[in-house]
Amino acid sequence: MKFKILLLVIVAAFAFAGCKYDWIIPEEVPVIDPDDPSQQVSFSEEILPIFTSGNNCTACHNGSQVPDLREANAYSSLNSTRYVNKTTPDESRIYAIPHPDGGHYKKYTAIQAALILAWIQQGAKNN
Ligand code: HEC
């Protein structure tokens, strides 16, 4: 009888220990379908804040370091084949250099990288 209780306690302990892993919630990376008009990425509302909020990129890219990513200049700075490759979007410098797997000073989160890529795939518009 005592053995059965002991066994129950052990089984219960394992069951609760197992639950621990449910608390680790993975970062959800949005899958953006660039051809779906309802999933249009906005430069001013979604892309710009990646560069400017908390001086994420503008700590350095503030005019002294190209590309100038300050709010007033970011679009015109990026509107060039040096930074945006509409034929092969994932080779765009503005996507590839700060990519999460890269070694830049500041890297995009997975979500930010997905937004940047979708924005380029959708034609890198000033929207
Ligand atoms: C701590 C300073 C610093 C921060 C923060 C920073 N960068 Fe940079 N970045 C640089 C420097 C310096 C270079 C010049 C090349 C090099 O050293 O890699 C550069 C180069 C680049 C280039 C390539 C420029 C070219 O013409 O080839 C891109 C694109 C870029 N950064 C984007 C970003 C983005 C986007 C962010 C924010 C997520 C960011 N950087 C954050 C310092 C920074």
Side-chain angles (χ1 to χ4, degrees), residues 56-57 60-61 65 82-83 93 97-98 104-106 108:
N56 191 29
C57 308
C60 303
H61 295 275
Q65 180 66 56
R82 176 165 184 86
Y83 297 109
R93 268 193 176 75
I97 289 176
H104 201 53
Y105 304 88
K106 256 292 166 68
Y108 297 135

Side-chain angles (χ1 to χ4, degrees), residues 67-81:
D68 182 350
L69 296 175
R70 288 175 297 179
E71 187 169 340
N73 306 333
Y75 187 80
S76 55
S77 305
L78 297 178
N79 191 18
S80 111
T81 51

Side-chain angles (χ1 to χ4, degrees), residues 3-126:
F3 176 73
K4 269 192 185 165
I5 293 170
L6 186 68
L7 201 69
L8 204 72
V9 168
I10 291 170
V11 168
F14 271 104
F16 282 113
C19 289
K20 218 166 59 178
Y21 295 96
D22 296 343
W23 296 104
I24 302 168
I25 300 160
E27 184 185 35
E28 257 188 64
V29 180
V31 180
I32 304 167
D33 176 1
D35 298 323
D36 179 351
S38 75
Q39 298 186 38
Q40 191 70 227
V41 176
S42 159
F43 182 74
S44 58
E45 282 169 31
E46 292 166 280
I47 303 299
L48 253 186
I50 297 172
F51 305 144
T52 59
S53 33
N55 262 346
N56 191 29
C57 308
T58 45
C60 303
H61 295 275
N62 57 9
S64 48
Q65 180 66 56
V66 291
D68 182 350
L69 296 175
R70 288 175 297 179
E71 187 169 340
N73 306 333
Y75 187 80
S76 55
S77 305
L78 297 178
N79 191 18
S80 111
T81 51
R82 176 165 184 86
Y83 297 109
V84 168
N85 182 341
K86 292 182 192 171
T87 319
T88 320
D90 61 356
E91 285 179 8
S92 302
R93 268 193 176 75
I94 194 58
Y95 171 70
I97 289 176
H99 191 273
D101 299 336
H104 201 53
Y105 304 88
K106 256 292 166 68
K107 291 180 247 178
Y108 297 135
T109 64
I111 295 171
Q112 291 170 338
L115 283 168
I116 299 272
L117 184 63
W119 171 69
I120 298 166
Q121 288 167 333
Q122 291 170 347
K125 295 193 205 82
N126 190 6

